[in-house]
Amino acid sequence: MTVRIRVIPCLDVADGRVVKGVNFVDLKDAGDPVEQARAYDAAGADELCFLDISASHEGRGTLLDMVRRTAQVCFMPLTVGGGVRSVEDARELLLAGADKVAINSAAVARPELVREIAEKFGSQCVVASVDARRVILPVGEAVPQWEIFTHGGRKPTGINAVDYAKQVAALGAGELLVTSMDGDGTQAGYDLELTRTIADAVSVPVIASGGVGTLDHLVDGVSKGHASAVLAASIFHFGTHTISEAHEALRAAGLPARGV
Amino acid sequence: MPTEKVALIDYGAGNLHSVHNALKAVGASVEVTADPNVVRAADRIVLPGVGSFKACAEGLKSISGMVEAMTERVHVGGAPFLGICVGMQLLATQGLEHGITPGLGWIPGEVHLIEPSDPAIKIPHMGWNDVALMPHARDHFVVEEGEAYFLHSYHFSVDDPHHVAAMTDHGEGLVAAVAKDNILGVQYHPEKSQAYGLETLARFLTWNPS
């Protein structure tokens, strides 16, 4: 076979606690990210992603402690994002036990940050977030366009998302986390055109994100969106589907997935 | 079981703590060390590594006496050795990442960029993939068939096929594990490969290569 499509559950955390209500297994403390991570490790998730959505920079110590405790009990790759603004921020997360750091607004403001972190710690640990919204085009305009948004999809930047994706890949990002801010939270499926346009334009792997509501959405993200990995939150957290069901759905569609 | 000491070499590699956590989880008595004398006294040696070959090789060689201590303990003392990811690649004669950098030269070969002919093949090679044993390595005590987590853009092109213990496939065959006597190197990350990886590390702890 070849490299497997990765199924990545993503936990939003703030001040060391899981933010969205999560209840997919019997946990003593469903708000504890470490317990959640342990459960996903046991369930055979291919990787895990923590996104810190704390508004302030003051909770960094709490985040680092959470990453440290997770890395002691979880033996799967861990990506941590949110609030990474400098090489030093990345270093702290990697030393705490993150395998990769996702860089968001700070790279939009200053793309060179991607190169600085990649040169210091290797491309393999740099995930560049591409948070994009579809641009409303005049009638008759055939080619779709997307714009980079920051601040959880609230702040437009005027930056073309596909150009940005190519730029951060060239600067040394080892993979791109492409999130449709239009789709995020809708459960209506990934923006497949966005995912495919970027995946076909770069040589690094793309993680599809934003909008998963069904297992078919995961399959489409790969077969139609050309993603190498699929990220989802609520369908796993709320127990709608298990990680093994996601792997099975991918395999049933003829895609390589773990757990044969 | 007598408590054997595993020396985990600290030369600034990014996955040091993950490897430490995983070794502890399978019951190893680990000493994280940058001291050649600790390496000389160790029963087993683990060399982690992520990032670039050049940075890792320079980091290791910057510790005075470390390469000599490792060589003595492994080649004369016969201590079981495990290199992980770039720690495995450092076994090569040389690496071609950011110019030519000499490696340890314990397993002849070169480390170079994976250059797939099919543009749909993504680099880095990132994710879970097969560890497929070579016929001559079927009975290797430590490496077993299975799925492990890989994350690399460069690969170890080994001169002597007998030193290849396992392969994987990413557009082309890539070396997944190398083995020679008491020396073992794995391209994948056992510390990030859940049960499969922990079992690999546990077997390494009881491996008695003759």
Side-chain angles (χ1 to χ4, degrees), chain A residues 1-4 6 41 45-47 71-72 75-77 95 99-100 121 124 174-175 199 202-205 228 258-259, chain B residues 14 17-18 21-22 25 50-51 121-130 147 149 151 169-171 191-194 198:
Chain A
M1 234 199 283
T2 181
V3 69
R4 315 298 193 261
R6 288 168 285 144
D41 193 23
D46 297 313
E47 289 187 16
Q72 278 165 7
F75 303 102
M76 68 200 294
L95 281 179
D99 298 288
K100 311 179 195 177
F121 309 110
Q124 85 290 333
E175 71 184 321
V202 298
S203 60
V204 297
S228 302
R258 212 151 59 102
Chain B
H17 297 288
S18 301
N21 284 332
V50 292
I121 301 287
K122 298 294 190 177
I123 302 297
H125 172 217
M126 180 186 291
W128 296 77
N129 207 338
D130 298 299
E147 293 171 304
Y149 190 87
L151 180 45
D169 181 25
H170 186 59
E191 77 281 12
K192 292 287 160 185
S193 297
Q194 294 173 342
L198 293 180

Side-chain angles (χ1 to χ4, degrees), chain B residues 54 94-102:
Chain B
K54 186 179 164 78
Q94 59 186 20
L96 304 182
E97 189 169 0
H98 307 307
I100 296 174
T101 310

Side-chain angles (χ1 to χ4, degrees), chain A residues 14-170:
Chain A
D15 305 316
R17 302 285 294 171
V18 177
V19 174
K20 285 182 195 163
V22 181
N23 200 14
F24 81 114
V25 282
D26 282 334
L27 298 173
K28 278 180 289 183
D29 177 1
D32 179 8
V34 181
E35 272 213 62
Q36 293 286 340
R38 209 199 272 261
Y40 278 122
D41 193 23
D46 297 313
E47 289 187 16
L48 185 69
C49 180
F50 281 144
L51 286 184
D52 182 39
I53 58 167
S54 309
S56 72
H57 211 63
E58 287 140 23
R60 288 318 267 186
T62 318
L63 177 70
L64 292 172
D65 179 58
M66 186 193 88
V67 171
R68 211 170 283 121
R69 289 187 297 123
T70 303
Q72 278 165 7
V73 294
C74 281
F75 303 102
M76 68 200 294
L78 176 64
T79 297
V80 184
V84 177
R85 291 169 199 173
S86 63
V87 170
E88 192 47 39
D89 286 343
R91 181 203 307 276
E92 283 180 350
L93 285 170
L94 294 169
L95 281 179
D99 298 288
K100 311 179 195 177
V101 291
I103 315 167
N104 196 331
S105 313
V108 175
R110 201 174 62 83
E112 279 297 313
L113 179 61
V114 169
R115 188 203 299 274
E116 290 164 12
I117 297 177
E119 279 180 356
K120 201 85 193 167
F121 309 110
S123 285
Q124 85 290 333
C125 75
V126 184
V127 182
S129 294
V130 180
D131 291 351
R133 282 188 188 280
R134 206 171 260 263
V135 177
I136 312 292
L137 294 169
V139 177
E141 191 82 44
V143 183
Q145 286 181 35
W146 296 267
E147 180 181 349
I148 296 288
F149 275 66
T150 57
H151 298 78
R154 295 189 304 275
K155 201 173 158 193
T157 64
I159 298 168
N160 178 287
V162 180
D163 292 343
Y164 177 75
K166 289 191 213 166
Q167 184 189 13
V168 286

Side-chain angles (χ1 to χ4, degrees), chain B residues 45-178:
Chain B
I45 297 170
V46 177
L47 184 67
V50 292
S52 85
F53 185 99
K54 186 179 164 78
C56 286
E58 286 172 354
L60 187 62
K61 287 168 194 165
S62 72
I63 306 172
S64 175
M66 182 56 87
V67 171
E68 293 76 6
M70 285 168 53
T71 307
E72 186 186 308
R73 189 69 195 104
V74 172
H75 287 267
V76 183
F81 174 94
L82 174 65
I84 296 173
C85 195
V86 180
M88 166 263 214
Q89 296 182 349
L90 288 174
L91 294 168
T93 316
Q94 59 186 20
L96 304 182
E97 189 169 0
H98 307 307
I100 296 174
T101 310
L104 292 168
W106 294 359
I107 294 188
E110 271 184 358
V111 175
H112 38 79
L113 188 65
I114 307 169
E115 293 178 288
S117 47
D118 177 356
I121 301 287
K122 298 294 190 177
I123 302 297
H125 172 217
M126 180 186 291
W128 296 77
N129 207 338
D130 298 299
V131 177
L133 286 173
M134 298 295 285
H136 66 84
R138 288 254 162 247
D139 297 323
H140 198 280
F141 183 77
V142 181
V143 185
E144 285 193 352
E145 296 266 340
E147 293 171 304
Y149 190 87
F150 289 80
L151 180 45
H152 60 123
S153 300
Y154 285 75
H155 73 114
F156 190 170
S157 175
V158 177
D159 288 351
D160 182 347
H162 288 100
H163 294 155
V164 178
M167 295 289 289
T168 194
D169 181 25
H170 186 59
E172 60 181 302
L174 300 176
V175 170
V178 293

